[in-house]
Amino acid sequence: MSRRTSTLALQPALAGILFTASLTTWAGPPSITAQPAATAVQRGGGASFTVKAVSAAPATALAYQWMRNGVALSGATAASYTTPATALADDGALYSVQVRSSGLTVTSAAARLTVVPAFVSASTGSGHSHLLGENGAVWTLGNSLPDLRANPGSFRNDQLSRAKTKAQALGSGLTGVAELASGMDRVIARRTDGTVITWGQGVLGDGAAYGYQRYPVAVRQTGGAALSGVVSVAAGSDFGVAARTDGSAWSWGTNTMCVLATYVCTGLAFPPGLHAAPVLTSAGVALTGVTRVAAGKAMHALALRSDGTVWSWGTEYYGYLGNGTATLQRSLARPVLTVSGAVLSGVASITAGDEHSVAVRRDGTVYAWGNNTNGQLGIGVAGSSTSSMRAVNVMAGAGVALTGVTAAVATKDATLFLKADGSVWGVGSNNFRQLGNAASGTHVYPVRVLDLRGVALTGIRAVAAREWHALAVRTNGTVYAWGTYSPGYVPSPVLVPSP
């Protein structure tokens, strides 16, 4: 074959190759059919991102390169990418991917990574719950009302959302929180600098007669100065209480039945506390020596003093106050008494439920007083009596005192106890599974809180409860929820879903 003949023979094949190459180039860049999605993971976990793409040229392979904040990640060359164990510093990072085919590249949209902190404590309100992160951030689940979430987004009841300040409505969120307390329609937060902020609705202590605050505002004293030097906060349904470093106790909000104890109530009109004011004793002077506070639903509140005594105020009914006040009579702060008439002492922590209160002593024993209709006092019987109107020893069983307790939370008709070994026990009504146990009905002695497998909860560091739902924070920073409004009705503790 001559050279000319050979050349002519190759021309069709060469033309085909060139035509195919031209088609590949003309086909354009690859197309992304599914963008990487924003995701959230608790600190320490790995987050996964995935992209779906097709090549414009058939039978042409795709190549991938993932990027973090615009910087290529070594070895991240597949359609999916999983991060190493995350740290709080990774919160807000943006992940995108370059998809390449036939020499042409397209870049995906960036997906934001949210790193949820390990949680250290919790508070619960009426159908809403709030979690405090190790970094001072606040997260909410339950009620979807924006006034309670302090967040401009829209969320399902079972989704976590981060609380924000008004200035940070589109930013990373509220920080610097040391303690949370939740009421029916409000949240109170003590900040690390000793100031107090609040959001929700009602008389919030910011000076307004009644208002809706979607984002946090400062609780203020009369005259406008922010309440400061605070070491403890508590929330009733529609009022708040705080203890300051100088040992004083302050209250604000709706003054149902003289629950604020900031002045001597006369008649039937009880003006609300638009600003925080000092709590008074029955002697008409400011209560002093206070280290912790607790708030009932609407008619009573408590203060723990540095000498280990507990003081109560509000209106007496069912033994709410436990201080000898006659039924339906109002009282400024007075010491809580035991059934023997002695002042209750040696107390390390306090809690107030809707209609009963509980004090944990330094030796790990527990005393309770108030309404015992559902056996919530844990004294071996259900029903109120004159003995339950004073502080009485909580029992583990017939003739055996409950011991080893480090903290307690009182709810509407039940009480939960956290023991030093990390276990949780409950007493009272379990009709809504608020005791976290499959055995419904009334329990007059504490029963163990179990998970859905029937295994006892362990490794718990903090417990919160209100009405018929509860939360337990584990030492590893995860959270269990149970009861109703937790959200939803669950018979036994389940892990709180990730955002």
Side-chain angles (χ1 to χ4, degrees):
M1 181 184 295
S2 67
R3 180 178 295 178
R4 176 178 175 82
T5 302
S6 176
T7 302
L8 290 174
L10 288 172
Q11 282 181 346
L14 180 60
I17 292 171
L18 292 174
F19 180 72
T20 301
S22 297
L23 282 179
T24 301
T25 302
W26 295 339
S31 297
I32 294 178
T33 58
Q35 297 281 356
T39 189
V41 63
Q42 193 160 28
R43 192 262 296 157
S48 295
F49 298 91
T50 299
V51 68
K52 291 184 179 180
V54 295
S55 173
T60 303
L62 295 173
Y64 304 90
Q65 177 58 64
W66 286 91
M67 297 179 292
R68 181 184 187 275
N69 295 331
V71 178
L73 294 165
S74 177
T77 55
S80 296
Y81 171 69
T82 299
T83 70
T86 53
L88 292 178
D90 296 319
D91 185 40
L94 299 175
Y95 288 82
S96 58
V97 60
Q98 291 180 337
V99 185
R100 186 176 179 83
S101 176
S102 303
L104 298 176
T105 301
V106 63
T107 302
S108 73
R112 183 179 296 276
L113 171 63
T114 298
V115 179
V116 180
F119 296 114
V120 295
S121 65
S123 70
T124 55
S126 182
H128 56 100
S129 298
H130 306 270
L131 304 171
L132 179 61
E134 61 190 327
N135 58 348
V138 177
W139 294 76
T140 301
L141 76 158
N143 197 312
S144 58
L145 288 177
D147 287 348
L148 293 172
R149 285 188 175 254
N151 189 298
S154 178
F155 304 92
R156 300 190 312 268
N157 282 358
D158 64 345
Q159 288 181 308
L160 283 169
S161 65
R162 186 168 179 180
K164 300 174 180 287
T165 68
K166 189 172 185 179
Q168 297 170 325
L170 299 177
S172 59
L174 175 65
T175 57
V177 174
E179 182 185 13
L180 291 169
S182 305
M184 180 175 69
D185 51 11
R186 70 192 59 213
V187 184
I188 300 172
R190 174 175 63 87
R191 307 198 72 182
T192 53
D193 63 3
T195 59
V196 179
I197 54 177
T198 184
W199 60 96
Q201 57 182 286
V203 182
L204 299 176
D206 62 339
Y210 191 95
Y212 297 82
Q213 294 292 349
R214 186 169 186 172
Y215 299 105
V217 295
V219 174
R220 300 186 180 277
Q221 308 173 48
T222 302
L227 186 62
S228 60
V230 173
V231 296
S232 172
V233 292
S237 287
D238 48 12
F239 71 98
V241 190
R244 299 180 69 183
T245 53
D246 62 3
S248 60
W250 295 62
S251 62
W252 63 92
T254 302
N255 196 22
T256 303
M257 301 300 285
C258 207
V259 72
L260 301 186
T262 55
Y263 58 87
V264 177
C265 294
T266 58
L268 297 177
F270 312 116
L274 306 186
H275 296 91
V279 172
L280 304 178
T281 71
S282 56
V285 298
L287 181 60
T288 60
V290 177
T291 60
R292 300 287 300 175
V293 289
K297 181 177 182 179
M299 293 174 59
H300 77 292
L302 307 174
L304 172 62
R305 297 184 68 188
S306 57
D307 62 2
T309 61
V310 180
W311 293 56
S312 63
W313 61 89
T315 296
E316 170 59 29
Y317 196 63
Y318 280 119
Y320 292 179
L321 304 185
N323 63 14
T325 300
T327 299
L328 294 179
Q329 295 300 302
R330 300 181 291 271
S331 174
L332 296 176
R334 297 172 59 184
V336 172
L337 307 175
T338 67
V339 289
S340 67
V343 173
L344 178 62
S345 61
V347 174
S349 67
I350 54 175
T351 178
D354 281 17
E355 299 177 344
H356 74 292
S357 299
V358 181
V360 179
R361 300 185 72 195
R362 296 172 186 141
D363 62 3
T365 60
V366 185
Y367 279 76
W369 61 96
N371 191 347
N372 192 42
T373 301
N374 292 282
Q376 57 263 52
L377 299 190
I379 57 177
V381 295
S384 296
S385 65
T386 54
S387 61
S388 63
M389 297 177 72
R390 303 281 183 93
V392 59
N393 204 189
V394 176
M395 309 302 288
V400 180
L402 181 63
T403 60
V405 177
T406 59
V409 286
T411 69
K412 183 179 181 67
D413 49 17
T415 306
L416 297 175
F417 307 99
L418 174 61
K419 302 190 77 171
D421 61 5
S423 64
V424 183
W425 301 70
V427 70
S429 173
N430 196 34
N431 290 332
F432 294 97
R433 298 301 190 267
Q434 57 268 53
L435 301 185
N437 190 292
S440 62
T442 295
H443 297 266
V444 297
Y445 294 117
V447 294
R448 191 82 178 261
V449 175
L450 310 174
D451 67 15
L452 285 174
R453 303 166 298 169
V455 177
L457 287 194
T458 58
I460 304 302
R461 64 180 295 171
V463 181
R466 177 79 74 167
E467 294 185 339
W468 300 300
H469 71 293
L471 299 175
V473 182
R474 303 178 73 193
T475 53
N476 65 2
T478 58
V479 180
Y480 276 98
W482 65 91
T484 186
Y485 295 132
S486 59
Y489 180 88
V490 290
S492 295
V494 296
L495 283 170
V496 167
S498 297

